[in-house]
C-alpha cells in the first residue's frame, strides 16, 4: 500500500510521533486528514504538509468526548478513507494506590474508547469502499506491565485485544490492521501524562529524553506501514524488554520490580 493518492486520516497529528508521521507521509502526495485538539498546532502541521505536496483537511476533535468523535466522522463521511492511523493518546505518571478511578477512566476514555469509537465509525465506510488499512499505536507497555503506568499499560493491552479481533473478523472485508509498538520515543508524552490529580505531569522524563527522535521513529514506522506489517516495533534498546517478557518471564518479573518508574 503506497501513500501516494491515498486518503489517510491521522490522529495525534499535532505533536510527537503522529505529527512526524504526518510530515513524513506528506512527502508522498497523499490526501491527509489531520486531527488533534490543538487547532493552532494542527494548522502549523497542515501548512508544512501542504508545502511538502499533499492536500490537507484539518478535523480537530477530542478523543475523550464521544460526541466530538461522531461530529469529526460526519465531517469526513463523504470521503473514501483508505487509511486510519491512530496516534492520539495520553500517558500516566502515578502509582496504583494513589490514582483515583476517575483518572484511570480518563486514560481509558482517550486511549481506548475514543480510539474504538472512531474505528467503529470509520469501519463501515471502509468496508463499503472495498477495504482499508488501520494502524493503532500501542506501546511496549501494551505487552507487559510497567510501574507508574497501570491504567496506561492496561489501555494499551486492551487495544491489542480489540484490534486483533477486528483484524480476524474483517479479513474478508479487506481490512488490514497494523499495531504499532513504540519503545521510548523523545516526544512531549511525559509532559502531557496525567498524574494522580488528573493533571499534566509537566516534566520531560530522563528516559523519554534519551529516546529515539520522533523523526527517526516516523521513517521506520512509515516504511513498515507501507508493507502493512501486523506488528511494528520501533525504538531503541528498550525493545529488548518485549523479548525478555516473552521468552524469559522470570527475568522480566525481577527487572520490572526494580525499574525506576520515570
Ligand atoms: N513517546 C513514546 O515514548 C511513546 C511510547 C509508546 C507509545 N506511545 C504512543 O504514541 C502515541 C503518540 O504519543 P507521542 O509520544 O507522540 O505523545 P505526544 O507528543 O504527547 O502526542 C500525543 C498526541 O495525542 C493527541 N491527544 C492527546 N489527548 C487527546 C484527546 N483527548 N483527543 C484528541 N487527541 C489527543 C495530542 O493532540 P492534542 O493535544 O492536540 O489533542 C497529540 O497530538 C500515543 O498513543 C502514545 O501512547 C508513545
Amino acid at each position: 500500500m503506497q501513500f501516494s493518492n491515498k486518503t489517510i486520516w491521522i490522529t495525534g497529528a499535532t505533536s510527537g510521533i503522529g505529527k512526524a508521521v504526518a510530515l513524513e507521509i506528506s512527502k508522498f502526495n497523499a490526501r491527509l486528514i489531520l486531527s488533534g485538539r490543538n487547532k493552532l498546532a494542527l494548522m502549523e502541521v497542515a501548512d508544512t504538509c501542504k508545502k511538502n505536496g499533499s492536500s490537507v483537511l484539518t478535523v480537530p476533535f477530542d478523543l475523550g468526548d464521544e460526541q466530538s468523535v461522531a461530529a469529526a466522522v460526519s465531517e469526513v463521511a463523504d470521503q473514501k478513507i483508505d487509511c486510519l492511523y491512530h496516534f492520539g493518546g495520553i500517558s500516566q505518571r502515578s502509582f496504583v494506590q494513589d490514582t483515583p478511578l476517575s483518572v484511570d477512566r480518563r486514560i481509558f476514555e482517550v486511549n481506548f474508547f475514543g480510539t474504538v469509537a472512531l474505528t467503529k465509525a470509520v469501519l463501515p465506510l471502509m468496508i463499503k469502499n472495498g477495504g482499508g488499512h488501520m494502524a493503532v499505536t500501542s506501546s511496549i507497555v501494551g505487552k507487559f506491565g510497567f510501574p507508574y503506568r497501570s491504567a496506561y499499560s492496561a489501555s494499551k493491552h486492551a487495544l491489542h485485544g480489540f484490534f486483533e479481533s477486528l483484524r480476524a473478523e474483517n479479513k474478508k472485508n479487506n481490512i488490514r490492521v497494523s499495531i504499532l509498538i513504540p519503545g521510548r520515543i523523545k516526544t512531549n508524552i511525559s509532559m502531557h501524562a496525567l498524574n494522580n490529580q488528573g493533571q499534566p505531569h509537566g516534566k520531560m522524563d530522563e528516559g523519554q529524553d534519551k529516546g529515539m527522535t520522533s523523526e527517526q521513529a516516523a521513517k521506520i514506522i512509515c516504511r513498515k506501514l507501507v508493507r502493512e506489517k501486523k506488528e511494528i516495533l520501533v525504538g531503541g534498546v528498550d525493545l529488548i524488554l518485549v523479548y525478555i517478557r516473552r521468552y524469559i518471564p522470570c527475568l522480566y518479573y525481577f527487572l520490572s520490580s526494580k525499574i525506576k518508574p520515570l
Side-chain angles (χ1 to χ4, degrees):
M1 203 275 321
Q2 300 297 324
F3 298 131
S4 150
N5 290 317
K6 296 289 188 312
T7 300
I8 301 173
W9 192 350
I10 300 176
T11 73
T14 56
S15 172
I17 308 173
K19 172 181 172 180
V21 166
L23 293 174
E24 184 62 24
I25 292 180
S26 69
K27 297 170 190 166
F28 296 91
N29 186 32
R31 289 187 294 271
L32 294 172
I33 303 170
L34 302 181
S35 294
R37 289 164 305 172
N38 183 332
K39 291 181 186 167
L40 188 62
L42 210 47
M43 293 311 295
E44 284 172 9
V45 177
D47 284 348
T48 314
C49 289
K50 285 177 196 164
K51 283 186 194 133
N52 285 346
S54 285
S55 69
V56 183
L57 174 67
T58 55
V59 182
F61 73 92
D62 184 347
L63 276 166
D65 174 349
E66 210 178 318
Q67 288 182 353
S68 171
V69 177
V73 175
S74 66
E75 266 189 65
V76 301
D78 59 335
Q79 311 240 358
K80 178 183 176 290
I81 299 166
D82 299 293
C83 308
L84 173 60
Y85 295 162
H86 297 278
F87 291 95
I90 192 156
S91 191
Q92 174 187 15
R93 295 294 184 272
S94 60
F95 290 119
V96 171
Q97 67 270 32
D98 300 335
T99 306
L101 198 56
S102 59
V103 173
D104 298 320
R105 285 191 194 280
R106 173 74 192 153
I107 291 166
F108 262 79
E109 283 299 337
V110 175
N111 290 357
F112 183 72
F113 288 110
T115 301
V116 165
L118 181 59
T119 302
K120 280 176 177 255
V122 170
L123 182 64
L125 306 176
M126 273 189 176
I127 293 174
K128 198 175 81 186
N129 290 323
H133 182 211
M134 297 217 185
V136 66
T137 310
S138 172
S139 163
I140 54 171
V141 305
K143 290 284 198 181
F144 50 78
F146 198 87
Y148 234 39
R149 312 278 196 281
S150 51
Y152 176 71
S153 170
S155 70
K156 296 297 188 182
H157 277 75
L159 289 173
H160 283 261
F162 183 87
F163 278 89
E164 289 197 347
S165 305
L166 184 148
R167 180 197 286 134
E169 287 176 13
N170 285 285
K171 186 170 165 51
K172 61 179 182 295
N173 292 320
N174 190 28
I175 302 294
R176 295 92 62 203
V177 174
S178 297
I179 303 182
L180 310 179
I181 305 171
R184 278 191 169 134
I185 312 297
K186 188 177 172 179
T187 69
N188 285 331
I189 192 154
S190 69
M191 308 280 290
H192 303 145
L194 298 187
N195 65 18
N196 61 4
Q197 311 288 313
Q199 297 301 317
H201 173 62
K203 289 183 211 144
M204 173 62 81
D205 289 346
E206 201 183 315
Q208 212 72 58
D209 200 32
K210 291 184 184 142
M212 174 183 274
T213 68
S214 50
E215 290 77 16
Q216 281 174 301
K219 283 197 188 303
I220 295 168
I221 289 169
C222 288
R223 274 204 303 274
K224 297 190 178 181
L225 283 177
V226 167
R227 289 158 60 203
E228 300 186 352
K229 301 283 285 181
K230 290 188 174 54
E231 281 199 346
I232 300 177
L233 278 145
V234 57
V237 68
D238 38 339
L239 297 182
I240 199 168
L241 272 171
V242 174
Y243 300 101
I244 291 177
R245 175 66 184 87
R246 189 181 304 163
Y247 298 114
I248 327 173
C250 291
L251 180 57
Y252 157 76
Y253 298 137
F254 173 75
L255 290 174
S256 62
S257 68
K258 301 282 173 201
I259 288 168
K260 251 179 46 187
L262 295 180

